[in-house]
Structures are given as structure tokens and as C-alpha cells.
Amino acid sequence: MDWTRSRLDKIQIYHNEILEKKDAECIDNITWNDLEMDEVFLCINRTKSFIGEQLLYHRLHDVGTEQNWKIFEEKAVCLEENKKVRRKLEKKLTVIGKKEEDYHLPTFLMHTELWKIECGIWLYVLQVLLAVFLLGSIIYEHEVWIAGLLGVAIVNLLVYLRVKQQYEVFLFSIGSLKEIIKLGKWMLDKEECGQFINTEVRNAVEELQPITKRMLGWQSRKYAGMTGDMTAMLQDYLMGITLIDVAMFNHIMKMIHNKQDKVLFLYEFVGQMDMLLAIASYRKSMDKWCLPEICEYGEIVCIGVAHPLLTHPV
């Protein structure tokens, strides 16, 4: 729990981005702090992934609507009753995990227009020049061609290092986006998950499949380079000199930008599944809990209500 508390500022990123993007009806910070809701969140938070944490934190702020809550409760009951699906989902969500850089993914996804590399056409020009000078060096073996090859290679490497430094957090967090799409595809293919799948989920998963194909191999090189393995590092710099990874990153960014609504929808869907699992687990740990009944007049009537942090309430 102390580890989770230390990264609350990162967990809040999704909630803060939603507040900027939409006119959401949420609990204000004064009320939130007065009720010690950060501590309540920490008690409920039994999520397996960073997405679940972020969605849970936002949901505790979000007032929502009666219809939202009814659908939410139906899904929660389904998970509570289906032990087999629940365990499989937990394993899949654990693969996504809670890597520190991934908490910035909402910023990345909600502002895709900011991360596309400017003057992307020059990437392809530099790649062509590298190929031309390499071919010239092999055929003519002249100093001019070799010098040109070295010059373009150095420029390409500097471009790669600059892009890597500027977008490093997002270069790695894209791998988690691939896992999110894979989880959606897994649920789509499993008959026992049918009660959680609707047309929107199906369309989002099917339209995002090309993105995962573009990421194959690319993300594994990124993580291999982090291990300090010499072969992986040399391969990483070779890809840097040829600008293959930079051009691929720019292409993936364009694909995400064009499918932004589908990406965000699937992000929230997967996060909600993790959140539902956490809430189901928390309910089992409670001696008493109940569902509120929402009346049409907007009255608030409470009987026997106690703050969840109190062990012996009056």
C-alpha cells in the first residue's frame, strides 16, 4: 500500500486528463480530501494493472448516471459468479502490470497530435541517402562515398537519439497498448467472456489489430536494449542509424491518432474490467455493504452508514 501511495500522482494522470478533455461531473477536491478518499482508494485498490488503478481512481470521483451504475453492477455480479473467467482475467491483467512509465499512457493517447514527429518526410529522405551512399561505397569504394555514408549515419544517429530522449517514456508505454489490444482480442475469442462484449468492444478490437502487427519485434528490441545486452544495444543503434525505429514510431503514432476514439474506448474497457475485479475482491472482505437506491427526487437518505476506514463506527 505504501508503494501505491508513493505513486498516487501518476495514478491521477488519467483522472486529470479526463477533467481537461470532458466536462465531467466529479467530486471536488475539498470533499474528496475531507472524506479521506485517497485512503479509501488504497483500501479498495486490488487491481492488477496500472489501467485498473487509474480507472478506479477516476470512478471514485465520477458521479456518473443511474444507467451507468446499473450496467456497472451487472458486470460486477457476472465476475463475482464466474470464478473461471475471473482468474483468467487476473492473469492477463498481471501481464500488463504496473510499470512506472505506463502511467503516462493516457497523456500520450489523449494528445496524439503532439507526439507525431515534425517533418516526417525528412526521415525517409535520410533513409534514402543512407542507402544511396552505402551502395555507392560498395560499388565505387571512393572516399567521397564513404565520407558521405559516415556523415549521413552520424546525422541519423543524432536524430534517433533526440527522438529517443524526447519520447522515451512513450516509446516503452506503447508496448502496454499492444497488451491492452491483445487482452481485448482474447476476450473477444472466449465464449465465456461474451457477457462483457458488445458491438463497440468488437469494433474497437478489430480496427486496432493492425497496430499490434506493426509493434511486433519493435517493442521487444526496446526492452532488450534496456537489459544492457551488448548484442541488443548494437541492434538498437543499428536501427537508430537506419531510422527504422523512428519511422516506425511515427507511423504507429499516425495510426493511433486516426483511431484515437477506439484506442481510448478499449483502454477504458480493459481498465474497467480490472476495476470490477478489485471491487468484487473488496466486497468479499467486507462484513457489510449495500447498493444505494437512486430515487428520482434526488433525496439522500442514509441508515446505518459508516465510513469504510472506521473499524468501530458509532
Side-chain angles (χ1 to χ4, degrees):
M1 190 179 290
D2 289 336
W3 180 56
T4 306
R5 184 181 283 107
S6 70
R7 64 176 192 276
L8 269 174
D9 58 329
K10 292 183 174 63
I11 293 171
Q12 294 170 14
I13 290 174
Y14 173 81
H15 173 66
N16 294 334
E17 290 290 349
I18 288 291
L19 290 185
E20 285 186 21
K21 196 175 182 69
K22 303 177 183 177
D23 187 20
E25 189 178 354
C26 292
I27 297 170
D28 62 271
N29 288 333
I30 294 174
T31 304
W32 178 271
N33 292 329
D34 285 347
L35 294 173
E36 297 185 75
M37 288 300 293
D38 276 346
E39 298 300 321
V40 173
F41 163 76
L42 292 170
C43 285
I44 300 174
N45 182 29
R46 302 173 186 204
T47 55
K48 304 297 181 184
S49 70
F50 73 96
I51 322 170
E53 283 189 323
Q54 291 186 325
L55 265 291
L56 175 60
Y57 188 86
H58 173 66
R59 190 75 196 211
L60 289 173
H61 282 81
D62 187 13
V63 177
T65 65
E66 182 179 358
Q67 185 180 8
N68 291 148
W69 288 111
K70 283 182 178 178
I71 295 171
F72 183 86
E73 187 57 32
E74 286 171 5
K75 291 181 178 179
V77 171
C78 283
L79 279 175
E80 287 172 13
E81 294 176 350
N82 197 328
K83 187 177 180 180
K84 186 179 178 181
V85 172
R86 192 169 66 242
R87 286 186 172 177
K88 286 183 178 179
L89 266 176
E90 285 176 349
K91 288 182 180 178
K92 296 289 181 180
L93 289 163
T94 302
V95 173
I96 295 174
K98 300 179 179 181
K99 297 183 286 291
E100 190 172 349
E101 63 269 15
D102 288 343
Y103 288 89
H104 297 277
L105 193 55
T107 301
F108 182 60
L109 298 178
M110 292 185 195
H111 302 281
T112 50
E113 71 283 355
L114 300 178
W115 312 116
K116 287 186 292 183
I117 298 169
E118 296 179 5
C119 303
I121 188 66
W122 285 105
L123 296 177
Y124 302 109
V125 171
L126 288 170
Q127 285 181 310
V128 170
L129 284 174
L130 185 72
V132 169
F133 279 111
L134 177 61
L135 189 61
S137 299
I138 295 171
I139 295 173
Y140 301 108
E141 298 183 2
H142 194 277
E143 294 177 357
V144 173
W145 289 100
I146 296 172
L149 176 63
L150 290 174
V152 175
I154 291 170
V155 170
N156 287 3
L157 186 59
L158 290 173
V159 170
Y160 169 71
L161 293 174
R162 182 178 179 277
V163 171
K164 185 178 180 180
Q165 183 182 22
Q166 191 172 359
Y167 302 122
E168 189 162 23
V169 171
F170 305 115
L171 287 171
F172 291 105
S173 62
I174 280 181
S176 291
L177 176 59
K178 184 181 72 174
E179 294 300 329
I180 291 167
I181 299 171
K182 282 175 64 178
L183 176 54
K185 181 69 167 60
W186 175 81
M187 291 186 68
L188 201 66
D189 295 339
K190 293 295 178 182
E191 188 177 341
E192 57 265 36
C193 295
Q195 62 265 45
F196 305 110
I197 303 297
N198 56 28
T199 305
E200 267 192 294
V201 176
R202 187 177 299 278
N203 290 341
V205 172
E206 289 174 353
E207 289 189 34
L208 296 177
Q209 284 303 300
I211 295 178
T212 60
K213 292 176 182 177
R214 289 288 181 182
M215 292 177 183
L216 289 174
W218 181 68
Q219 199 64 30
S220 60
R221 288 198 303 274
K222 295 292 159 221
Y223 283 107
M226 288 181 67
T227 63
D229 179 65
M230 188 59 67
T231 304
M233 289 177 69
L234 286 172
Q235 186 181 14
D236 187 42
Y237 280 105
L238 179 62
M239 291 295 173
I241 290 171
T242 57
L243 292 179
I244 291 174
D245 277 354
V246 177
M248 184 62 71
F249 173 75
N250 201 38
H251 182 65
I252 290 171
M253 275 313 308
K254 289 178 181 178
M255 294 177 73
I256 294 173
H257 179 72
N258 293 334
K259 302 287 184 181
Q260 187 185 44
D261 57 334
K262 302 295 183 185
V263 172
L264 290 173
F265 174 82
L266 195 61
Y267 183 95
E268 292 168 357
F269 170 75
V270 170
Q272 188 182 76
M273 297 307 299
D274 196 5
M275 175 178 63
L276 287 167
L277 288 169
I279 290 172
S281 174
Y282 180 67
R283 284 176 176 178
K284 285 187 177 182
S285 71
M286 300 287 288
D287 294 329
K288 294 179 180 179
W289 63 273
C290 70
L291 291 172
E293 294 182 8
I294 302 174
C295 66
E296 58 183 296
Y297 302 108
E299 296 177 312
I300 298 177
V301 180
C302 303
I303 301 172
V305 173
H307 195 285
L309 295 180
L310 299 176
T311 53
H312 301 288
V314 176

